[in-house]
Amino acid sequence: MGRAEQLDRLRMAVAGVRGRGILFTGSAGIGKSRLLHEGVDTLPGEKYAVWRIAASATTSAMAFGGLVQVLPEQPPGLSPAGILRWAVDVLQQQAAGRRIVLAVDDAHLLDPPSAALVHLVARAENASVVGTLRDGEQIPLPIRALWTDGLVERAELGPMTPDETAAMLTAIVGGQVDSGSTDRLGRLSAGNPLLLRELVHAATNSGELVEKYGVWTWTGRLELAPSLTELIDIRIGQLTPGVRAVVELVAFGEPLGLRLLHQAVEQHDVEYAEERGLITMVESDRRLDVRLAHPLYGEVVRRQCPVSRTRRLQAHLADLLEKVGKRRREDLLRVARWRLASGTAQDPAMLIAAAGEAFARYDVPLATRLARAALDAGGGFDAAELLATILMFADRPAEALGVLDAVATDAGQEERLSRWLTVRGMVSYWGMSQASTVEEIAAEGTKLTDAAAQARVRAFEAIMRLHRLDAPAALRLAQGVLDRPAASVAARELARCTIAHLQAVQGQLCRSATAVDLVQAKVASWRADMPYLQLAVELARGTRLALSGDLAGIDALVADEFADLADAGDFRLGTGYLAILRAYAARLRGRSDAALQAALSACAVLATSRVYAGLAQSERAQAAALRGDARQAVEAMAEADRLHSPSMGVLYPWLEQARAATLAAGGDLSAAVGRLHGLVDRLRADGFAGHEALVLHDLVRLGKAGAQTGPRCSDGSRRTVAQRLTELSEQVDGELPPLLARHARASADGLPEGLLNAADGFAERGLDLLAAEAAAGAVHLLRQRRAPDVGHARQRLGALLARCDMVHTPALQAATPTLTDREWQVARLAAVGGTSRAIAEQLFLSARTVENHLQRVYTKLGVTSRAELRVALGTIPGHDGTTAM
């Protein structure tokens, strides 16, 4: 897998096109042997005489032991030189004129006579040597001379790329593996196929690799199989006590500053460990850090280290770092982690600070351990508040409430009470879906007299009311927080996020972007107090980007630091939401496969959380509908309804759009249209103009641009969908609304040129799905009118569909002529150059019948020749979701 280029090099070397052979070098398990076997297995026996040689430590101790598999018994009385000549003659005789290929696996283990014979054979004009060598091994001089004398190529076989790792994981488990698990397993295996396979088997056998919604997710816990441990032990080898101390300290402390390591061990032991390939040096911000040469070395070393020594080593590391001073931001976390693991964590203030730092990095598991340790060490309210917050984002709300209720605070301490109220309200409202929380927190807030404490409670009440769809009250409360000078930075920016989200759904996209930028500019001031505020930032930003059709902006969002931290730290709400955005962007690009994979990944990640679970399932329904998979779309919408929390009411437009798409995918277009009209009315009543524009465009895509919508005007008439979109294009910010209105007007007026212009506009923004639908509408109109420029429109549509995956939307289907199975067969054969007579013979028809079928196809497609037919078929989704060509 992923070695096509190397296989080609091997075949070319064997054929004498490039040199006389090739030797692949690399670490154990990198895939050298498999590559060698796959390559020589394809060589035809009538052309090549292939001898396979598997050298080993056992055969390396005897003369010609490496070639015992291919040579007959030696004649007696021959000198060493005579034996070599005899062996070459034997191979030539057995080859019988064919080209000789010696395939030598682990050539570094050949005994000297065998190595000399391989070198001698390589010099023959009709022979090639291909083989493998393991990095770091002593190589016999005759084998080394193969490439120094120019007889063979020497190629390094490197680790698999991330894409190849993902493909191999899919092949091993037989399904999609979520991106976070893929990244973690890829890092642990370091791109080594053997290690990756062993890791997956170990995780599967221990039940730590589980499947949900068709996506496999690794819990992160790892039970190393004996075979894997033995493999790593062989690599590490026997170590002196000093070198073992180096490896153990680095295993528990990496990345470990070289200066710090030298204070704990002898310098020559560090140098020897580096020479052995056990550790490696990495430049990091003007400091030389020491890491283990392979991630799995640490797993094995840490597991084999006795508990008492483990605790002593980690306490020693903490002492050393505290002695030289915690100079880097991450040093606090490292000391706290070592203190916790060594049983020497006694400072609750240090543990609280470290837990906050871990949570600010979205490392939820580590933050949970540190906060709990801080509470156990006497951290009191501060520790309980932090632990409850972290447990909420770890999908453990009931446990979080228990922690909070155990430290109910004095009503006279208003600053502390406001924090207790807001954290408990957050857990109760979003974690437990208790709608009464909003009124409860509002009532408690009125009892506070401290302005800062009251502002904090009001900021939380505002965002709760937004999510409960009480937009006017949310705006009033949030603006009130911003108007209070006493409000903390975190409270003010939480209020600003509420306003930014509200502005986005109302179509004030520019103001929303400005507000989000203001919040992000002050991240250093609020992250320590309210790290989870980042999720509100991303929801407001993601909503704006989705409503504006800014796919490049979505790409940037899902690739920034927050995404990396969320994936690495197991911050599932963040990871899941970003996966939803990836699915949305892929869907609008017409990449249905990527959209469905991302949506399924979001569903799997959010399976235990109700905050975004319904949204993830609705995006899964959209992706399935795009592929024409009505069954899965219905199933996903049922899950969306089951999982969607009333506390996330603000997300209703996305769910209702998905419901309409599901109805359309099932063929019930009238129900889909009715659902969308009802949604338009609700969005207009709520003032969600940003959403309304997209929903109106969904009606255009279903062929209803001229349908009436909204309330009656003073003259008794009602606006059409196209007219209402034109109105909104002047109210909603951005370049997309005018483009949607242009598409609607062209569709309502039946203007092919206008539809093609709209298609060009969509394509410029990367919205290939919408572009293809607009172009399909133009082709349909031009075909009906038998216009001479239908050929250009067809070419445009074909180019757009070529950029999409499997796409089955009502707009594309409505513009697609229906061909019978027989017409389809005849059309495809004719399009690739088949004559009527040849087609007739292949399909057991008469030539006249073939001609009759072709004429009907020409009429339906509006073409007049086979050349035009080929282009026309390229614009029609084929049977079973495949394109015609």
Side-chain angles (χ1 to χ4, degrees), residues 769-851:
L769 174 64
L770 303 184
E773 290 182 339
V779 169
H780 179 60
L781 290 173
L782 291 169
R783 186 188 298 125
Q784 284 182 325
R785 300 168 187 177
R786 297 187 177 276
D789 50 352
V790 67
H792 168 72
R794 273 202 205 95
Q795 290 179 340
R796 185 76 183 112
L797 175 57
L800 288 167
L801 287 176
R803 286 150 60 173
C804 300
D805 290 334
M806 182 194 303
V807 285
H808 285 279
T809 68
L812 292 173
Q813 292 170 349
T816 300
T818 302
L819 301 182
T820 66
D821 288 342
R822 181 64 79 188
E823 288 169 350
W824 186 264
Q825 288 178 314
V826 171
R828 293 190 68 175
L829 292 170
V832 295
T835 65
S836 296
R837 183 178 297 278
I839 296 171
E841 291 177 357
Q842 184 171 341
L843 299 181
F844 303 102
L845 301 172
S846 69
R848 180 179 294 277
T849 300
V850 169
E851 287 292 341

